[in-house]
Structure formats: C-alpha cells, structure tokens
Amino acid sequence: MEEMMQPGWEHLVDSVRSGNTSFEKVFGQDFFSYLHENPERSAGFNQAMSRATESTAAVLPEAFDFARFATIADVGGGDGTLLAAVLREYPSANGILHDTEDGLAQAPETLRRHGLVDRCTLAPGDFFASVPEGADVYLIKSILHDWSDQQCVEILAHCRQVLPADGRVLIIEPVLPEVVDPRSVGLYLGDLNMLVNWGGRERTRQEFDEVCRQAGLEILSVVPLGGPGFCLIEAKAIALGVA
Ligand SMILES: C[S@@+](CC[C@H](N)C(=O)[O-])C[C@H]1O[C@@H](n2cnc3c(N)ncnc32)[C@H](O)[C@@H]1O
C-alpha cells in the first residue's frame, strides 16, 4: 500500500495549491485504473480495505436495526466484509454485493467463509452508470470520500433512483467537525490523503446534507460509529414534488 500512497504525498504542496490529485501525476492514471492494471496490488488494496472495515463490521449490525429490511445492498462493497457481518446478524435478510470486477475479486472467498454464498448475489458494475435494483437498504461505506461533490451526487442519485419509498441509504464515512478542531488531526490527514491519492475529500455534516439534497435524499440522523471518526449517516428519499 505504501508504494502506492507515498508518492502522492511527495507532491502534497502541488495538490493543495491546484486541487488536483498527485497520484495521477505520478502514475499517469487514476487510482482505480492503476489497480485494474496491477491485479496483485488490487488484491492487496482489497485486503487492506477488508481489514480496515472489520471495526465497522463489528458494530454496524447493532448500531442500526436492519430487521425490517428483506434485502441489503452494499454499493462499492469490496470483498463483502461489511455486508457479511450484517447478513450474519440478520439471518432472514439477503444481500446484493456491488463493486467493479476488480473490487469483487476476493468476494466469493469471503462469502464462502461466512457461509453466505446462497444469501448474497454478486453484482459487478459501475456506480457512475447505475446501482443494482431490488434492495431496501443501500450501504455505501468509504466511497464518497474518494470522489468530488459532483461525482458523489451522481452515485447517490443512482441509489435514489432504485430506492423504495421507505428504503434507506446508509452512508458510512468520517464526518469532519463544522469548525476545525485540532483534536481531529487524524481526520484532516485522511482528508489530505483523499486529495493526493484519489481527488476526493472528507466532509462535514453540512457538506453531506448538500450532496444528499442534490441527489434527492435527506439525512435523518448522523451517529458516531466508533473507530477513527466514522459515522453512520441515515438518509431517505425526498418525496417527489418536495425536492
Ligand atoms: C475505499 S474502497 C471501499 C470498499 C468497501 N466499501 C469498504 O469500506 O471496505 C472503494 C471501493 O470502490 C470501488 N469502486 C471504485 N470505482 C468504482 C465504480 N466506478 N463502480 C463501483 N465500484 C467502484 C473499489 O473497487 C473499492 O472496492
């Protein structure tokens, strides 16, 4: 991971001045295109994400009551670590695990290990084109901070398009304080990492409100999830005619 992340940091000043991603300057392509051409690194990244998600996977099934939802999708869900934790806790629910082919490469093994092959469908795809239909709740963890506001609106609008009236989008991301807080130094370093390596950013509650509103969603609650600043942001569709 360091071999991929470090070079971008060496051009931090350029990124801060220009707002452009340094990763592309160093590697000549964006992060996920680079992973596509380097399957070993892609597998390493998926594994690192899986490990990083374990702490959220340990608390999410208790932090949110999924009992009334029959089908749970994870958009950009990687190897399925988070979705597997939810499905194991809610045995009557089925899952849809969405990601690119590269992102899903390790998912069959994760689902097999958790005994979930029969309860979870793999849905390869591109969330800038669409997200899979048929779920009642859409998880989306550590995705939005990889992208610009406009790209976040596109991804969330695709979730909104397929969301049932009483469905939910559950965004799981760090949330920056509204006023800069020096105790949150880790969050600001994460924010810079998103800039130099992906061209994304961390966001405040107000900034999440705005991208959700533009996508036709309204935030109902934001609760801390434990771990490094991660919060659970529960959103539902703004009723047509009200948006
Ligand atoms: C930072 S990882 C987060 C993975 C997982 N949600 C987690 O928190 O462990 C970002 C994920 O987005 C996926 N991704 C990137 N571009 C995508 C696209 N256009 N459509 C679908 N998934 C994409 C990557 O393959 C990767 O699995």
Side-chain angles (χ1 to χ4, degrees), residues 32 49 53 76 78 98-100 103 125-128 141-143 146:
F32 292 111
M49 281 314 304
T53 295
H98 163 275
D99 205 298
T100 60
D126 171 6
F127 47 46
F128 291 113
K141 176 185 171 290
S142 300
I143 298 296
D146 293 345

Side-chain angles (χ1 to χ4, degrees), residues 190-223:
D191 185 40
L192 288 172
N193 192 37
M194 293 305 134
L195 170 67
V196 297
N197 282 312
W198 282 275
R201 52 177 304 198
E202 306 296 5
R203 293 179 171 82
T204 64
R205 158 76 196 251
Q206 275 187 26
E207 289 165 339
F208 278 112
D209 273 327
E210 185 53 25
V211 290
C212 283
R213 190 192 61 73
Q214 287 187 38
L217 297 168
E218 69 174 308
I219 293 179
L220 300 175
S221 64
V222 179
V223 294

Side-chain angles (χ1 to χ4, degrees), residues 30-33 35 42 45-46 48-54 56 74-82 97-104 123-131 139-147 155 172 194 198 230:
D30 69 69
F31 192 87
F32 292 111
S33 301
L35 290 186
S42 181
F45 176 74
N46 294 343
M49 281 314 304
S50 170
R51 273 201 300 269
T53 295
E54 277 167 10
T56 303
D74 193 351
V75 174
D79 83 331
T81 295
L82 186 65
L97 181 61
H98 163 275
D99 205 298
T100 60
E101 297 273 5
D102 300 324
L104 290 176
D126 171 6
F127 47 46
F128 291 113
S130 65
V131 303
L139 305 174
I140 178 159
K141 176 185 171 290
S142 300
I143 298 296
L144 301 182
H145 68 175
D146 293 345
W147 306 100
I155 298 167
I172 299 158
M194 293 305 134
W198 282 275
F230 273 90

Side-chain angles (χ1 to χ4, degrees), residues 36-219:
H36 180 65
E37 290 185 6
N38 293 275
E40 278 182 23
R41 295 225 158 148
S42 181
F45 176 74
N46 294 343
Q47 194 180 36
M49 281 314 304
S50 170
R51 273 201 300 269
T53 295
E54 277 167 10
S55 56
T56 303
V59 296
L60 180 65
E62 288 252 324
F64 186 82
D65 185 4
F66 290 88
R68 73 185 173 89
F69 298 109
T71 306
I72 301 161
D74 193 351
V75 174
D79 83 331
T81 295
L82 186 65
L83 186 55
V86 175
L87 292 177
R88 288 187 60 179
E89 199 66 27
Y90 294 86
S92 63
N94 289 312
I96 302 173
L97 181 61
H98 163 275
D99 205 298
T100 60
E101 297 273 5
D102 300 324
L104 290 176
Q106 283 70 40
E109 169 54 22
T110 302
L111 297 180
R112 192 199 54 72
R113 205 170 56 246
H114 290 286
L116 291 168
V117 172
D118 295 338
R119 288 175 51 210
C120 188
T121 308
L122 297 183
D126 171 6
F127 47 46
F128 291 113
S130 65
V131 303
E133 292 180 11
D136 308 294
V137 58
Y138 287 82
L139 305 174
I140 178 159
K141 176 185 171 290
S142 300
I143 298 296
L144 301 182
H145 68 175
D146 293 345
W147 306 100
S148 70
D149 286 356
Q150 187 48 45
Q151 289 167 314
C152 290
V153 172
E154 283 176 40
I155 298 167
L156 290 171
H158 287 134
C159 295
R160 167 70 181 85
Q161 264 169 20
V162 294
L163 193 66
D166 57 353
R168 292 289 185 269
V169 175
L170 300 182
I171 301 165
I172 299 158
E173 295 250 335
V175 176
L176 292 176
E178 294 298 337
V179 177
V180 172
D181 179 349
R183 288 167 303 179
S184 303
V185 63
L187 294 183
Y188 298 112
L189 285 172
D191 185 40
L192 288 172
N193 192 37
M194 293 305 134
L195 170 67
V196 297
N197 282 312
W198 282 275
R201 52 177 304 198
E202 306 296 5
R203 293 179 171 82
T204 64
R205 158 76 196 251
Q206 275 187 26
E207 289 165 339
F208 278 112
D209 273 327
E210 185 53 25
V211 290
C212 283
R213 190 192 61 73
Q214 287 187 38
L217 297 168
E218 69 174 308
I219 293 179

